[in-house]
Amino acid sequence: MKLLKEKIESEGIVLNENILKVDSFINHQMDPFLMKEIGKEFAKLFKGEHITKVLTIESSGIAPAIMTGLELEVPVIFARKRKSLTLTSDLYTAEVYSFTKQESSEITVSNKYMDAGDNVLIIDDFLANGQAAIGLAQLVRQAGGTVSGIGILIEKSFQPGAGEIRKQGYRLESLARIKSLADKQVQFADAKETIHQ
Amino acid sequence: MKLLKEKIESEGIVLNENILKVDSFINHQMDPFLMKEIGKEFAKLFKGEHITKVLTIESSGIAPAIMTGLELEVPVIFARKRKSLTLTSDLYTAEVYSFTKQESSEITVSNKYMDAGDNVLIIDDFLANGQAAIGLAQLVRQAGGTVSGIGILIEKSFQPGAGEIRKQGYRLESLARIKSLADKQVQFADAKETIHQ
């Protein structure tokens, strides 16, 4: 997506070869016009999938997800993160390991809001190791629903998440794919380029 | 706001005389069309205030805030919550006490995204004791900016937050004001009705 790539080029900050900061327009301060365009783009990409729900995870996924839900005219759910694993019968739960924070947390969705009739589009801001997206897909499967696709703003194609998601058979659409952050430079992958992880 | 009140009447669940659950359209599952209409309503209410930034707090404030920012054509910032108070020179910080969780947390905004030139509209989902809104206002003042207004989706007018915010001189606009949750019933306050707390 051209607008997103331009934003990354002009405002993204490469901290090291693994970390791209996009705090000025996605992760802390947010650009509402960009989010709206992202919502339109995901709606266009997934419009044939009969999506019934958009699912994301707090907090950075919420803005692009709500714009996508607005375009697709379906409800949006954000999974909650919490520290401890406590079993409760009214929640779908999955464990997600954060490589950045080096800790596990649990993500949950109330069983009132997803069921076997749902075709779910998962939206998240970053795809690196794929833990969050795979955890969200587990929640959908616990509900008996279908993961109709995974929409990502920024895929770090040099990390294992994208490959893992495709291996699990999910349709993945990433609006910007980065093949390298070496030498403090963002290098995008071409649209169909396969990155060997 | 008529649409919001109708949603509260049809889908809100009164747990007890203090707690209204709106998990099906605001706090967990979200209604994107409602959020868009809320954004339009806040933009209309505050359009004369020359707003330069919308500020909210993760996670439930993000959806209405991004829609408000879209209408006002200004960036949106979400403050982050965290447990421990660690001083860092590049953050504005305030302490917020949660009566529900009975614990304090710290809310932060990077000093890169607010400054003395900003007229800030604060958006949040609920107003009860006012801790979050007042904490957000403190962040704006630390930046030297102006709190141009506080926009709330659901004000529990029988709790002290609304009175406290008005006492501090801020302009407060709440789209739905609830004067009582007694007997498991939602009773709205009239638009200009003053509730004695």
Side-chain angles (χ1 to χ4, degrees):
Chain A
M1 185 188 178
K2 190 160 170 280
L3 182 63
L4 178 58
K5 287 185 191 170
E6 286 170 359
K7 273 284 204 184
I8 292 168
E9 280 174 335
S10 63
E11 294 189 29
I13 295 168
V14 182
L15 284 191
N16 59 46
E17 60 184 18
N18 285 312
I19 301 179
L20 169 70
K21 281 196 74 166
V22 290
D23 267 16
S24 72
F25 58 104
I26 291 177
N27 279 333
H28 182 29
Q29 181 168 257
M30 303 177 290
D31 177 336
F33 177 76
L34 174 68
M35 293 299 170
K36 187 184 176 191
E37 294 302 306
I38 285 170
K40 282 186 192 171
E41 186 72 17
F42 282 134
K44 198 167 72 181
L45 287 165
F46 292 101
K47 71 171 187 288
E49 303 281 354
H50 308 287
I51 305 295
T52 60
K53 293 271 163 79
V54 171
L55 175 64
T56 188
I57 184 164
E58 57 184 353
S59 293
S60 306
I62 294 176
I66 196 84
M67 293 299 183
T68 306
L70 184 68
E71 291 294 326
L72 289 169
E73 299 183 11
V74 298
V76 178
I77 304 165
F78 64 89
R80 295 179 181 280
K81 282 178 207 162
R82 54 182 198 179
K83 281 279 159 56
S84 59
L85 194 88
T86 44
L87 285 176
T88 39
S89 59
D90 56 350
L91 295 176
Y92 306 123
T93 60
E95 204 180 327
V96 168
Y97 182 75
S98 164
F99 288 86
T100 320
K101 295 183 186 164
Q102 301 206 321
E103 63 181 27
S104 285
S105 61
E106 190 197 21
I107 62 171
T108 68
V109 164
S110 163
N111 66 5
K112 281 192 283 187
Y113 304 124
M114 275 197 309
D115 63 32
D118 279 317
N119 296 324
V120 180
L121 172 58
I122 292 168
I123 298 287
D124 206 4
D125 56 342
F126 268 100
L127 176 61
N129 291 290
Q131 291 284 306
I134 288 164
L136 290 168
Q138 284 170 4
L139 300 181
V140 177
R141 288 208 313 272
Q142 281 172 35
T146 303
V147 178
S148 299
I150 297 176
I152 297 291
L153 274 57
I154 303 174
E155 172 189 313
K156 293 192 283 183
S157 311
F158 56 89
Q159 289 184 292
E164 185 57 34
I165 283 172
R166 292 205 173 92
K167 205 169 73 188
Q168 295 196 13
Y170 299 120
R171 178 179 168 195
L172 172 65
E173 299 282 353
S174 304
L175 303 185
R177 299 174 68 221
I178 293 172
K179 66 176 174 188
S180 166
L181 293 171
D183 306 322
K184 307 243 163 175
Q185 295 289 318
V186 177
Q187 271 196 63
F188 292 108
D190 298 330
K192 294 293 164 196
E193 185 174 357
T194 304
I195 311 298
H196 299 283
Q197 285 134 352
Chain B
M1 184 188 178
K2 190 161 170 282
L3 181 63
L4 178 59
K5 286 185 190 170
E6 285 169 1
K7 273 282 205 185
I8 292 168
E9 280 174 335
S10 63
E11 294 189 30
I13 295 168
V14 182
L15 285 191
N16 59 43
E17 60 184 18
N18 285 313
I19 300 179
L20 170 70
K21 281 195 74 165
V22 290
D23 266 15
S24 72
F25 59 104
I26 292 177
N27 278 333
H28 182 29
Q29 181 169 258
M30 303 177 290
D31 177 337
F33 177 76
L34 173 68
M35 293 300 170
K36 187 185 175 190
E37 294 301 305
I38 285 169
K40 283 187 192 170
E41 186 72 17
F42 282 134
K44 198 166 72 181
L45 287 164
F46 291 102
K47 72 170 187 289
E49 304 282 354
H50 307 287
I51 306 295
T52 60
K53 293 271 164 78
V54 171
L55 175 65
T56 189
I57 184 164
E58 58 183 352
S59 292
S60 305
I62 294 174
I66 197 83
M67 293 298 182
T68 306
L70 184 68
E71 291 294 326
L72 289 169
E73 299 182 11
V74 298
V76 177
I77 304 164
F78 65 89
R80 294 179 182 279
K81 283 178 206 163
R82 54 182 199 180
K83 280 279 160 56
S84 61
L85 194 89
T86 44
L87 285 177
T88 39
S89 59
D90 55 350
L91 295 175
Y92 305 122
T93 61
E95 204 181 328
V96 168
Y97 182 75
S98 164
F99 287 86
T100 321
K101 296 183 187 165
Q102 301 208 321
E103 63 179 28
S104 284
S105 61
E106 191 196 20
I107 62 171
T108 67
V109 164
S110 162
N111 66 5
K112 280 191 283 187
Y113 304 123
M114 277 197 308
D115 63 31
D118 279 317
N119 296 324
V120 180
L121 172 57
I122 292 168
I123 298 287
D124 205 5
D125 57 342
F126 268 100
L127 177 62
N129 291 290
Q131 291 284 307
I134 288 165
L136 290 169
Q138 284 169 5
L139 300 182
V140 178
R141 289 208 311 272
Q142 281 172 35
T146 303
V147 178
S148 299
I150 297 176
I152 297 291
L153 274 57
I154 303 175
E155 172 189 313
K156 293 193 282 185
S157 310
F158 56 89
Q159 289 184 293
E164 185 58 34
I165 283 172
R166 292 205 173 91
K167 206 169 74 187
Q168 294 195 16
Y170 299 120
R171 178 180 168 195
L172 172 65
E173 299 282 354
S174 303
L175 302 186
R177 299 174 66 221
I178 292 171
K179 66 177 173 187
S180 167
L181 293 170
D183 305 322
K184 306 241 163 178
Q185 294 290 316
V186 177
Q187 270 195 64
F188 292 108
D190 298 330
K192 294 293 165 197
E193 187 175 355
T194 304
I195 311 297
H196 298 284
Q197 285 134 350

